[in-house]
Amino acid sequence: MVDPPGRIVVSGLSKRFGEIRAVDGLSFVVEPGSVTGFLGPNGAGKTTTLRMLLGLVTPTAGTATIGGSRYAEIPTPTRAVGAVLESASFHPARTARNHLRVYAAAAGLPDDRADAVLGLVGLADSARRKVRGYSLGMRQRLGLAFALLGDPQVLILDEPANGLDPEGIRWLRGFLRSYADAGRTVLVSSHLLGEREEAADRMVIISRGRRRRS
């Protein structure tokens, strides 16, 4: 059976760093058309799992696929998967617009796509400001704009609500809900259980690298 384009399948995924077992036999599935909260305390293994899913860390065991393929096997990853990890950074001397145009050019996307995604995340009026003057919440929105550049089927976001004020959090929930309602896949990590309970269709909860309940 062929996986649909947006299905995420994590199967028996494990990662050891020396004597530390960061992820231990983790398995779950994220279906298209849903928002899935990936929850656990800081240090639970969430970011390591996402890094393995995105091909940034090699698993010790198990597999992680998107649409039936490992991330490295996806022909045009920017158009298939949009991702922002907690460590996302930006050149402080560039404007948000120029930052996104650099990545748009690298992905073969038109320059005006940068303006389009800045509008989607509410940064159109700040597009020509240098990133060094952005608040943490504005940087979070810029990270989301970066993830949206390729109009991807899948969004993978690591702690995207950090730094957002209550209005920004409400906006983010609505945006992710509409993205999933369009038949796309949203996987969002958080260490705050209540925050994702209000937004997610399903939750995958981990602790010490192992799945606890859904």
Side-chain angles (χ1 to χ4, degrees):
M1 181 177 177
V2 178
D3 283 337
R7 178 180 286 158
I8 296 171
V9 179
V10 172
S11 179
L13 199 63
S14 297
K15 181 62 184 180
R16 295 182 68 101
F17 296 100
E19 296 300 313
I20 299 173
R21 192 184 297 271
V23 179
D24 186 8
L26 187 62
S27 297
F28 63 88
V29 176
V30 181
E31 297 290 355
S34 67
V35 177
T36 296
F38 187 39
L39 309 175
N42 291 330
K46 302 186 302 296
T47 298
T48 299
T49 299
L50 298 184
R51 287 183 174 276
M52 288 190 282
L53 182 59
L54 296 170
L56 300 173
V57 171
T58 302
T60 303
T63 59
T65 60
I66 301 171
S69 300
R70 292 184 301 114
Y71 183 84
E73 300 168 341
I74 298 173
T76 53
T78 303
R79 297 174 186 269
V81 183
V84 181
L85 299 185
E86 197 172 11
S87 58
S89 60
F90 312 98
H91 195 298
R94 283 189 186 144
T95 66
R97 188 170 186 247
N98 287 341
H99 171 81
L100 293 181
R101 281 188 166 192
V102 168
Y103 286 98
L109 300 169
D111 282 349
D112 61 5
R113 183 61 185 163
D115 294 313
V117 294
L118 286 168
L120 284 175
V121 302
L123 290 178
D125 292 341
S126 304
R128 290 175 172 79
R129 284 179 56 185
K130 291 183 178 179
V131 176
R132 67 162 61 96
Y134 273 27
S135 66
L136 177 56
M138 293 172 73
R139 287 171 181 257
Q140 290 285 57
R141 288 178 183 251
L142 180 55
L144 179 57
F146 166 74
L148 294 169
L149 270 176
D151 194 23
Q153 171 68 26
V154 176
L155 273 182
I156 299 172
L157 306 175
D158 193 9
E159 303 280 1
N162 281 356
L164 294 181
D165 59 21
E167 181 181 353
I169 291 173
R170 285 192 296 272
W171 170 84
L172 179 65
R173 287 173 182 159
F175 181 87
L176 298 181
R177 177 75 272 151
S178 64
Y179 209 81
D181 286 346
R184 307 193 195 200
T185 307
V186 180
L187 177 61
V188 187
S189 81
S190 177
H191 64 281
L192 301 174
L193 179 61
E195 174 187 301
R196 293 274 70 84
E197 277 184 321
E198 296 185 24
D201 300 303
R202 179 173 174 241
M203 294 181 290
V204 175
I205 300 175
I206 68 170
S207 177
R208 297 182 181 180
R210 304 183 72 177
R211 184 172 174 179
R212 298 306 177 187
R213 65 182 178 89
S214 297

